[in-house]
Amino acid sequence: MKLRSREVVSRLEGLPRRALLKADGLTDEDLKRPLVAIANSYNQIVPGHVHLRELGEAVAAGVRMAGATPLEFNTIAICDGIAMGTPGMCYSLPSREIIADSLELVLEAHRFDAVVAVASCDKIVPGMLMAIARVNIPAILVTGGPMMPGEWRGQSLDVISAFEAVGAVKAGRMSELEAKEIEDRSCPGCGSCAGLFTANTMACLAEALGISLPGMATAHAIDAKKKRLAKESGRKVVELLRRGIRPSDIMTRAAFENAIVVDLALGGSTNTVLHLPAIAHELDINLSLDVFDRLSRRTPQICNLRPGGPHTMLDLERAGGVQAVMKQLGKLIHLSPLTVSGRTVRDNLRYARINDPEVIRAVTRPYRKEGGIAILRGSLAPRGAVVKYAAVSPRMMRHRGPARVFDGEEDAVKAILNGKIEKGDIIVIRYEGPKGGPGMREMLSSTAAVAGMGLSESVALVTDGRFSGGTRGPCVGHVSPEAAEGGPIAVIREGDEIEIDIKQRRLELLLSSSEIKERLQNFKPPEPRVKKGYLALYSRIVSSAAEGAICR
């Protein structure tokens, strides 16, 4: 077992560095042991993170049990829900790169031997996984766990209930007093928002990848099971170090395919189509949109969780969690990949049990015959677009209507809430892509407004931005090329006909090819919205959403 930390603390030359570490309270005995980093995104802002200090302490206890020395540091975290619908949302996706870079900097600068990453929520989990893949020292991810669902009048609530209450009040379908009750009850405590939104989807995929211990993703934030798993993660990472097992040994091509299949079977967030390719890129694995579409066509959706269905993350936990889903998928899952448990997927699944065949259905009795995500292409999206198949009503699988065009989300939300959108319309929100936003904001305020106004069965939304995992309805995002790059979405005019055909995987601007070509030849991109600061840099170096919005 070769320890990188010996470069810091060994020999006579390490004397001044040992002196600095002793200022932290470390002893000679501490410094003889492997040094294990705990990268924690604890803060007092984000509900998914307010409890992570305790999980970090549990990880540290496990590291010490295994004979190593834990040292903790922190990174940033942005709450998408708090930033949603404001200019602050532009900073969410770009924060993924900052998180990855911050972990790389600390782990490499201080020559840690191993790392346990403790994280929750949308960009933080993928950012940490990018760093884990990039630095490639023994590593385990501990996710903070789902929030418990709220309850009101016998209904389960989550943060989407609060967003949709805004539109319901505007439409006269709910009183302000009722909306206040939902506001007070929808988020009852710490944890990642209670449905299968991006945060919990990414936690599930981390477990499916094998980089989190079995059971980690669905163990809820308030459950002592989460602390026990955190402690075991601290112990296990030292075992991985002693065995020389690194993330590149675990997060293989086959493991990524397992994660995609689980995503499709669960009906998870479309944001995974950004995050999984970005993580794989760090390991020189190419996950194109075609991979997602190929696997989607043969993977049945066997779970139906909020926002597309009735079940919560608590239901999934009680039904057996991610391991039970993988066991139910049978031959669709690669069994040979190694996991951080020290066992293969095959060996892990021997312990899995399906406790509720309605929450986790058999592949012969799925909720849908195809996976929960579809990749669309056509004259409006030559390089692809993404839709959460699992959250679309059967009657909206094919939709044709006039474009209602907005150069930004705020104007679209005003139009929706002021009753300016009619049944049959297709709302187009552009200049919200990675470069154009910049930052590729989530459109949850607009989609929740559509749902709250009672239009999710009759109105579609198309954008070069992205959608929250809490989005439901025919909402097509990641349209590539984006408007700022001169994609066809940039030249749509008010009233142009658009056709969405999810089953046929088509997204068409119903104009002749010569008309589209002429419009594009005359197109002049607008001036960048942001000219200084981090977003200005991000807009210059970020790639297309079709490639995972990676920075080069």
Side-chain angles (χ1 to χ4, degrees), residues 3-77:
L3 299 179
R4 302 190 333 158
S5 60
R6 300 311 93 181
E7 299 169 26
V8 174
V9 299
S10 66
R11 302 184 304 277
L12 177 63
E13 291 80 5
L15 189 151
R17 297 187 286 270
R18 292 193 297 272
L20 287 166
L21 288 166
K22 285 182 178 180
D24 298 335
L26 297 183
T27 66
D28 288 329
E29 192 62 31
D30 289 328
L31 296 176
K32 290 177 183 176
R33 297 170 179 161
L35 300 184
V36 176
I38 301 173
N40 199 329
S41 55
Y42 161 78
N43 62 74
Q44 295 181 336
I45 305 167
V46 186
H49 295 239
V50 293
H51 63 302
L52 296 188
R53 178 182 285 171
E54 294 179 4
L55 292 187
E57 291 170 354
V59 171
V63 170
R64 292 190 189 97
M65 285 169 58
T69 298
L71 292 168
E72 188 170 3
F73 69 92
N74 285 81
T75 189
I76 63 169

Side-chain angles (χ1 to χ4, degrees), residues 364-435:
T364 54
R365 195 176 66 92
Y367 285 98
R368 287 181 176 82
K369 292 181 180 180
E370 294 186 356
I373 291 174
I375 306 300
L376 312 185
R377 284 189 170 85
S379 58
L380 184 48
R383 296 188 62 195
V386 183
V387 65
K388 189 169 181 175
Y389 200 145
V392 181
S393 164
R395 63 186 291 182
M396 292 296 287
M397 287 294 172
R398 185 178 182 187
H399 183 69
R400 177 174 174 168
R404 303 296 307 280
V405 184
F406 302 92
D407 290 345
E409 186 188 21
E410 287 83 357
D411 288 343
V413 172
K414 288 178 185 177
I416 297 164
L417 294 179
N418 289 331
K420 300 295 179 65
I421 301 299
E422 299 179 358
K423 291 182 178 181
D425 286 348
I426 296 181
I427 302 166
V428 176
I429 304 178
R430 61 191 179 193
Y431 296 106
E432 292 287 8
K435 291 182 180 294

Side-chain angles (χ1 to χ4, degrees), residues 211-271:
I211 201 70
S212 289
L213 287 177
M216 180 67 73
T218 56
H220 276 51
I222 64 169
D223 193 338
K225 176 183 176 181
K226 181 64 75 174
K227 288 184 181 178
R228 295 195 297 271
L229 285 167
K231 187 179 291 186
E232 180 64 6
S233 295
R235 194 182 69 81
K236 278 288 184 183
V237 81
V238 181
E239 179 183 314
L240 296 178
L241 175 62
R242 287 175 175 147
R243 292 177 61 183
I245 297 173
R246 300 181 298 166
S248 58
D249 301 316
I250 292 167
M251 294 193 289
T252 61
R253 174 87 188 190
F256 276 103
E257 290 196 359
N258 282 349
I260 294 171
V261 167
V262 168
D263 188 12
L264 297 167
L266 288 171
S269 167
T270 54
N271 281 317

